[in-house]
Each structure stands twice: as structure tokens, then as C-alpha cells.
């Protein structure tokens, strides 16, 4: 947990005045519902207690000055003319969000911003969305702008899509804005409706980073998207109303399996079963049935490993080591795949043992260090009481 008072002092030292406010926005992890977003299906993330803080103060002019403690770098731009930064990639997340607010004709002035985050960068916990959302919220609060949570999320996503140039879905920004303490958020990626469901207090969500990153990720991602698209096109021959795999049930798929080549069939099978699992997982959580929830997580992993084929041996090993620890309900790859992290649901009394055993055995078998982050489901973006 970062200390907001230290962030306040860092701001004061840097900008010569105290900040007017400090806001925070969380990173996230997806519990189940992988590669369903671009098939207009369901995702089920939590916001985690790793967050980006932004200390902020309005300026009387139109300049936005931003300092990030992460890289010890400063950026400065005029809100009247916002271009991509030639110097710092990170600055574009900030510029893109401010540009998105400006594009909606919302009246804003310049600001001094200081960023400080304990969301691990590039580990699949969405440090980028937490940065965008925190910056957007700070600008909103400084300028007394009324934005719905959904609008803020869309501005943040728009910044990442069109200004930074990363084609992410809406999940990360949505959960960073709308997450609720001790709840997971079931999001329907077709119409963006959502529902918060409580997570029992006696479990923790543990993220294990594998330390493996394959640069295959982007090309393989495009291949998977294309396969889903092709599956829809072929299924339309008999099911003309289908516009996305979201509209296909596992039973429909098997009944029409003869329409699809074997690889396309496997890809589609992952997506349609994953949608069903995600809805079943939400129903299980409603009954506080963690055993069923964990089983669905394990089935999700098998589906990603065998049908979607996006896992790697290190990730499979992490899930096996996790499930071997008594008190672990389930474990699966989370995120795009080809490395990255796993997510596991662990009863609170077993968490210490889980962290030690999974970490030690992973190191013994692979020589790699897994980073194990024990997370609680946290609140979405908010203003802190510091300052
Ligand atoms: P992630 O999975 O963590 O979201 P991304 O590659 O999508 O990984 O986003 C990481 C990028 O977001 C960083 O390279 C940096 O440009 C930006 N970023 C995230 N957190 C910060 C921060 N605290 N300060 C500055 N830039 C940040
Ligand atoms: Mg990101």
C-alpha cells in the first residue's frame, strides 16, 4: 500500500505548492472469461488493491505538467494542441485521456499531476488502464465535470486505442472505474451492462507472474480473432442470425461442427464454452459456491490450453502447482496468453503456504522466479481523503 501523504509531499516538493487532491484507480485481474470480449461475450474481473495514485492541482493556464515517479520523468503539453509525445511513451496515456475529455467539449484548465503506482507494469494487471482512469478522474474532479463512470471508462479506452495505439477491449477501464470492494464485476461486452457479485471475505485472489513473455502474443492474438470471425461466417450457413460467437451455445456448435475445419472448431469451442463457464461462475458466486467456481476456473484453463492453445508449459506448471496446494479452489491462465500470469482462488488460511510452495516449486522446476501477489477485490476509482 502506498502512502498518500508521501505522494502529497512529493507533489509539493516538485511543484512548489500542495496538491488540491489525490485520486486513485486500481489495476485488475480477470477471474474467468478469456478471449470472450471480442466475441461480444462475458468477462468477470476484480479490481485489485494495487493502484495508480495521481496527486493533482489546477493551473491558471492551459499547460498540463505531469511527473511520473515510476520513471522519474516529466512531460508537459498545452491542452489547446495535443499531439503524441515524441519523447515518452508513457506520456501518451496522459495526453490521450486529456485529449478525449477535450474532444467532448468539456471545459478544462491546465493542471500539475504527479503519478505514483504500485501496479506492476507489463504484468497483465493493467497498469495502463489504472493510469488512464486515474488521470481522467483527476481532471474530472479538478474541473467539476460530471461524467458517468461508463463515460470515463470509454474516454480512457479511447485514449489507449486511438492515441497510444493499443487495441484493448473495454474490460480494464470498466473495472478500474466501476469495481466495488469485495466484489467481482460480470460485464456483458455486447451491451456493456454489468453486475457486481460479492466475493466471500475468507478467500484471496492470488496472481502469479510466470516471468515468461513470448512476442508471439500479437500475431497469435490476431490469428485467434480471425478464427472466431471465420467460425461465425461458416456457422451463418445454417444459423443466419448469428452475428458473434456470443450467439452460439455449446450445443449449437457441436450440432453444426461439420461446417467448421478442425482448428476453427477448437477455437470456437473455447469461446462458446468459456461464455457458458463465465455465466455459471457468476451463478456459483451468487450461491457463495467457491468449489464450483474453482472447478470452472480449472476447466477454463484446460480449454485455453487444449482448444484455444494459448498457454505455455510454465503457465501450465503454475496452475498445477497451485491446484496441488490444499485450500486452492482453482487456477488458470489470465490475460492474452503465451506467458504472463495465472490467477488462483485460495482460502485465506492457506495463502501463506500457497505463496511459499508455489514460489519454491516453480523456482525448483524452471529456475525462474514467480512473483506472487495476494490481492483483495477493491473499489474502483475514487478520491482519497489525503490532502
Ligand atoms: P499493463 O499490462 O501493465 O497494462 P501495458 O503495456 O498495457 O501493460 O501498459 C504499460 C505502460 O503503461 C507502461 O509502459 C507505461 O507507458 C504506462 N504506465 C503504466 N503505469 C505507469 C506509471 N505509473 N507511470 C508512467 N507510465 C505508466
Ligand atoms: Mg495495459
Amino acid at each position: 500500500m502506498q502512502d498518500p501523504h508521501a505522494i502529497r509531499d512529493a507533489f509539493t516538493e516538485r511543484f512548489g505548492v500542495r496538491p488540491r487532491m489525490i485520486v486513485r484507480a486500481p489495476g485488475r485481474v480477470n477471474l474467468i472469461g478469456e478471449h470472450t470480449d471480442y466475441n461480444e461475450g462475458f468477462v468477470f474481473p476484480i479490481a485489485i488493491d494495487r493502484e495508480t495514485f495521481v496527486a493533482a492541482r489546477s493551473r491558471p493556464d492551459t499547460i498540463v505538467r505531469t511527473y511520473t515517479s515510476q520513471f522519474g520523468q516529466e512531460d508537459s503539453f498545452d491542452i489547446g494542441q495535443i499531439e503524441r509525445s515524441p519523447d515518452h511513451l508513457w506520456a501518451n496515456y496522459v495526453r490521450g485521456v486529456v485529449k478525449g475529455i477535450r474532444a467532448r467539449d468539456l471545459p478544462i484548465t491546465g493542471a500539475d499531476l504527479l503519478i505514483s503506482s504500485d501496479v506492476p507494469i507489463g504484468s497483465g494487471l493493467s497498469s495502463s488502464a489504472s493510469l488512464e482512469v486515474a488521470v481522467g478522474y483527476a481532471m474530472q474532479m479538478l474541473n467539476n465535470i460530471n461524467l458517468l463512470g461508463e463515460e470515463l471508462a470509454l474516454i480512457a479506452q479511447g485514449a489507449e486505442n486511438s492515441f497510444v495505439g493499443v487495441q484493448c477491449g473495454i474490460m480494464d477501464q470498466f473495472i478500474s472505474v466501476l469495481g466495488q470492494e469485495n466484489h467481482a464485476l460480470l460485464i456483458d461486452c455486447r451491451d456493456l451492462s454489468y453486475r457486481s457479485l460479492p466475493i466471500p471475505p475468507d478467500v484471496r485472489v492470488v496472481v502469479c507472474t510466470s516471468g515468461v513473455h513470448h512476442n508471439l502474443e500479437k500475431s497469435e492474438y490476431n490469428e485467434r480473432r480471425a478464427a472466431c470471425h471465420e467460425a461465425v461466417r461458416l456457422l451463418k450457413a445454417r444459423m443466419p442470425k448469428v452475428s458473434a460467437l456470443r450467439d452460439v451455445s455449446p450445443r449449437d456448435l457441436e450440432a453444426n461442427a461439420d461446417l467448421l475445419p478442425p482448428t476453427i472448431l477448437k477455437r470456437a469451442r473455447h469461446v462458446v464454452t468459456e461464455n457458458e463457464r463465465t455465466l455459471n461462475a457468476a451463478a456459483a458466486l451468487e450461491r457463495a459456491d467457491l468449489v464450483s467456481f474453482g472447478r470452472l476456473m480449472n476447466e477454463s484453463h484446460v480449454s485455453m490450453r487444449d482448444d484455444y492453445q494459448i498457454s505455455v508449459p510454465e503457465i501450465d506448471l503454475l496452475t498445477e502447482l497451485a491446484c496441488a496446494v490444499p485450500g486452492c479452489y482453482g487456477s488458470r491462465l489470465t490475460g492474452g496468453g503465451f506467458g504472463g500470469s495465472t490467477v488462483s482462488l485460495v482460502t485465506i488460511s492457506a495463502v501463506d503456504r500457497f505463496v511459499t510452495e508455489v514460489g519454491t516449486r516453480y523456482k525448483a522446476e524452471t529456475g525462474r522466479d514467480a512473483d506472487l501477489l495476494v490481492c483483495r477485490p477493491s473499489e474502483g476509482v475514487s478520491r482519497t481523503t489525503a490532502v
Side-chain angles (χ1 to χ4, degrees):
M1 172 68 184
Q2 305 175 84
D3 176 9
H5 297 104
I7 294 167
R8 177 197 64 199
D9 295 344
F11 182 101
T12 310
E13 195 174 309
R14 177 124 215 125
F15 295 111
V17 283
R18 284 166 71 103
R20 229 197 73 224
M21 65 180 67
I22 300 179
V23 305
R24 51 157 288 285
R28 65 95 187 95
V29 64
N30 193 21
L31 298 181
I32 192 164
E34 217 66 69
H35 287 269
T36 45
D37 56 347
Y38 52 82
N39 292 294
E40 300 186 18
F42 300 92
V43 293
F44 204 12
I46 60 164
I48 58 174
D49 50 343
R50 303 291 190 289
E51 43 207 4
T52 300
F53 281 79
V54 172
R57 185 176 192 93
S58 292
R59 293 171 57 96
D61 56 21
T62 54
I63 302 299
V64 173
R65 268 210 301 168
T66 315
Y67 176 80
T68 171
S69 311
Q70 251 59 42
F71 305 133
Q73 292 171 346
E74 191 171 303
D75 178 58
S76 176
F77 61 95
D78 190 315
I79 57 176
Q81 198 192 356
I82 305 179
E83 311 283 350
R84 276 196 186 76
S85 163
D87 305 319
H88 305 305
L89 168 68
W90 66 266
N92 290 327
Y93 292 85
V94 179
R95 292 179 176 209
V97 169
V98 177
K99 189 165 178 147
I101 296 175
R102 290 276 297 170
R104 292 185 189 218
D105 275 338
L106 298 166
I108 54 173
T109 65
D112 289 329
L113 308 173
L114 181 131
I115 299 162
S116 175
S117 175
D118 65 359
V119 186
I121 289 181
S123 291
L125 298 177
S126 213
S127 67
S128 58
S130 73
L131 172 61
E132 293 147 15
V133 168
V135 166
Y137 196 68
M139 294 305 283
Q140 173 186 340
M141 297 301 278
L142 285 177
N143 294 284
N144 294 315
I145 298 171
N146 265 327
L147 274 181
L148 290 176
E150 288 89 328
E151 286 180 276
L152 175 59
L154 286 166
I155 289 174
Q157 184 206 16
E160 187 147 347
N161 288 170
S162 40
F163 205 80
V164 180
V166 176
Q167 290 313 312
C168 57
I170 187 66
M171 167 170 74
D172 304 354
Q173 293 80 8
F174 229 70
I175 180 70
S176 185
V177 174
L178 297 163
Q180 270 187 40
E181 199 172 3
N182 299 324
H183 287 69
L185 194 69
L186 179 70
I187 306 170
D188 181 336
C189 297
R190 172 164 273 172
D191 63 7
L192 298 188
S193 58
Y194 55 89
R195 205 151 57 94
S196 278
L197 292 163
I199 303 230
D202 52 349
V203 288
R204 289 288 174 269
V205 173
V206 185
V207 176
C208 311
T209 62
S210 65
V212 177
H213 296 278
H214 286 289
N215 43 20
L216 283 172
E217 190 179 340
K218 200 164 179 188
S219 57
E220 294 285 340
Y221 176 83
N222 291 338
E223 189 271 339
R224 296 306 181 280
R225 277 190 86 136
C228 294
H229 200 253
E230 180 63 3
V232 169
R233 194 183 70 79
L234 294 168
L235 287 167
K236 270 177 189 276
R238 280 192 216 128
M239 302 170 68
K241 289 206 176 117
V242 166
S243 67
L245 284 178
R246 148 70 175 273
D247 302 314
V248 180
S249 70
R251 191 196 266 203
D252 291 337
L253 183 70
E254 297 313 326
N256 294 288
D258 58 304
L259 290 175
L260 307 182
T263 303
I264 305 277
L265 177 61
K266 284 211 283 193
R267 304 297 187 248
R269 187 178 288 132
H270 166 70
V271 174
V272 303
T273 57
E274 184 76 353
N275 271 329
E276 187 175 74
R277 278 187 293 272
T278 305
L279 291 175
N280 288 342
L285 209 50
E286 257 179 326
R287 306 188 301 270
D289 177 358
L290 295 177
V291 172
S292 297
F293 195 99
R295 200 185 57 238
L296 291 159
M297 291 174 80
N298 294 336
E299 289 171 11
S300 167
H301 185 74
V302 169
S303 174
M304 288 188 282
R305 185 190 67 197
D306 298 345
D307 282 339
Y308 225 53
Q309 297 181 296
I310 55 172
S311 191
V312 293
E314 291 86 351
I315 291 283
D316 294 339
L317 175 65
L318 274 176
T319 62
E320 283 157 29
L321 296 175
C323 291
V325 180
C328 174
Y329 290 104
S331 183
R332 57 183 281 280
L333 164 69
T334 187
F338 303 97
S341 305
T342 62
V343 59
S344 310
L345 198 63
V346 184
T347 196
I348 208 166
S349 57
V351 163
D352 289 345
R353 177 173 172 193
F354 181 94
V355 169
T356 313
E357 287 191 6
V358 174
T360 318
R361 291 189 181 159
Y362 185 68
K363 176 90 181 174
E365 293 209 23
T366 65
R368 292 176 186 277
D369 290 307
D371 211 355
L372 287 107
L373 296 171
V374 180
C375 303
R376 291 163 176 272
S378 299
E379 192 194 357
V381 68
S382 64
R383 185 173 173 173
T384 72
T385 51
V387 176

